[in-house]
Amino acid sequence: MSASQTSDVPTLLVKIFGKDRPGITAGLFDTLAAYSVDVVDIEQVVTRGRIVLCALVTQPAGAAEGELRATVHSWAESLRLQAEILSGTGDNRPRGSGRSHVTVLGHPLTAESTAAIAARITSTGGNIDRIFRLAKYPVTAVEFAVSGVETGQLRTALATEAAQIGVDVAVVSAGLHRRAQRLVVMDVDSTLIQDEVIELFAAHAGCEAEVAEVTERAMRGELDFEQSLHARVSLLAGLDASVVDKVRAEVRLTPGARTLIRTLKSLGYQVGVVSGGFTQVTDDLQERLGLDFASANTLEIVDGKLTGRVTGEIVDRAGKARLLRRFAAEAGVPLDQTVAIGDGANDLDMLNAAGLGVAFNAKPVVREAAHTAVNVPFLDAVLYLLGITREEVEAAGLS
């Protein structure tokens, strides 16, 4: 029976509360089956061992309604449950246009921040249709299904609220595309890994201070990325190529990185990295982690020594966005189905080009410009922004 067919049909809302145990759902509907009612809607939630089961059914004919009510109450009492039955007409009112998923991450998620997010959704004209917990650790992640307001408007409003109250919020359009096969591309330094690769090389060359000074000049805007890259790499001239293996061994993955990649791959996603660092490290990461794509700058090595130069196409801010588009084309994934993750200003073009740009523990300018931000130290928290539950993450770890 369609929604239009039930709009003016008398219905009963049967609500069951109490301690959860196996067989409650089957028992309720077995009881209702004796009255030949049609099921219009079902909702069930179990929280800390307590069940709330709601069944919206068509009203039985004639005097059978009174008998149904008495039978349901008797059945519930036999299981030490409470029952409430409300008469009405039709189903829920139709959801408004502009449907979105709002994912909220908290570490912890407080009542105060939840109230603020809910109030801001309401103030934009949105209606919260459902709330669902995605994860309880290492962060608390909940998802709101919202209707009645356009996704872009809601994203803008909640980004402001999230920054003020210190939670991470992602807003994406609802629809089948959310679970379609996607491509996830991430930065490497301070995103996939905890380190800055150029600094690891510089430590072996004994020029950390000089590299840091060039980095500071770039951050002050005195040098663009390509200039700063050449300046820093020049300081590595003469370093023995054997240091590459030492740097690879020193690289530390960000907590949750393996879980993120393993889960995405198990769900059919393709995963890649783009880096202003070096292929000498990203090629190793690609092999170790089973990445589908990887691109970075390449340190030139001649006669077993670093020359202080890079070869090939420079991967800078514009290059990262260009590579995202290239990977998407090779993967056969529309650009609006891509996810980009990064932390620095040179990731901004990539974050803005992707369907969803995630600023991961990023600088303020990046957090403000990205679609959403994750400020907890776990890279796998990004999974919850995609609607992937903790149970799915754990299942991927067992496969």
Side-chain angles (χ1 to χ4, degrees), residues 379-396:
L379 192 56
D380 55 339
V382 172
L383 293 167
Y384 309 133
L385 306 184
L386 307 179
I388 297 168
T389 67
R390 188 70 202 179
E391 286 77 11
E392 290 172 305
V393 172
E394 291 173 350

Side-chain angles (χ1 to χ4, degrees), residues 178-259:
R178 194 182 188 210
R179 281 305 186 96
Q181 185 185 45
R182 285 187 176 186
L183 168 69
V184 176
V185 176
M186 68 190 88
D187 174 42
V188 175
D189 292 10
S190 299
T191 300
L192 178 64
I193 66 175
Q194 301 177 60
D195 312 283
E196 293 288 330
V197 169
I198 185 68
E199 294 179 3
L200 296 179
F201 277 101
H204 289 280
C207 59
E208 299 108 308
E210 293 91 335
V211 165
E213 195 275 332
V214 174
T215 301
E216 281 298 316
R217 289 181 62 195
M219 292 179 66
R220 291 195 300 264
E222 297 172 10
L223 297 172
D224 64 19
F225 176 82
E226 186 170 349
Q227 288 176 313
S228 69
L229 174 68
H230 289 306
R232 286 177 290 180
V233 171
S234 69
L235 297 171
L236 306 180
L239 197 60
D240 193 275
S242 63
V243 78
V244 169
D245 288 335
K246 296 176 183 177
V247 168
R248 287 175 173 176
E250 291 167 351
V251 165
R252 300 167 300 162
L253 292 174
T254 298
R258 288 187 183 277
T259 301

